[in-house]
Amino acid sequence: MDPIEQLLAERACRRLLLDLVRSLDLDEPASVAELFTEDGTWTWPEGDRRITGRAALRAHFGSRPAAERHTRSRSLMSSVHVEVTSPDTATATSYFTTFRVDDHDRTAAVGAGPRNDPRRSEPPAPPAAEPDVRIGHYEDTLRRTPDGTWLLAARTLFLPRGGPAPLL
């Protein structure tokens, strides 16, 4: 593979992985399915869970329970290592830390709303809740489609710290 083509493939794969995390963080979970091939899979080894196919992924990620709709997450991705294995395939490993907080009372978060205006005399309100922190990594297989778009063919989530992740 030409070095420039390889760099472009690596960049496209890295961008795809970051777009996926962004979709989850910005509460657009149903859009995650569009980043997978039609037969794509997402596997959670803990609990032997696996979702196969774009339609099943769309249903899974689009069906957040009402109680979870008030939970927000922000993920920090690091050490995204993409290995282009052929002109149309790649593998990737990426590490993450995800912070999840309950925002039932969004005005209680530090820095949010007039209660935390620095011109006021009372102290800032404390955060509504301590964040739930999850640390782990993903192992991915990516495939280039005939139109040149890179998509996830398989994703496996590993959580050595943080316990089960029902909605990741």
Side-chain angles (χ1 to χ4, degrees), residues 83-151:
E83 177 95 20
V84 177
T85 54
S86 81
D88 296 322
T89 60
T91 60
T93 301
S94 52
Y95 295 87
F96 69 89
T97 303
T98 298
F99 300 90
R100 295 176 57 160
V101 294
D102 185 11
D103 73 355
H104 286 289
D105 181 9
R106 296 186 97 186
T107 61
V110 173
R115 291 176 26 188
N116 293 311
D117 186 331
R119 297 169 289 189
R120 297 188 57 134
S121 60
E122 64 259 14
E130 290 299 315
D132 175 16
V133 179
R134 299 186 191 271
I135 297 171
H137 77 279
Y138 297 109
E139 292 181 7
D140 299 310
T141 302
L142 302 102
R143 224 173 22 220
R144 188 186 330 233
T145 64
D147 73 358
T149 303
W150 285 90
L151 296 173

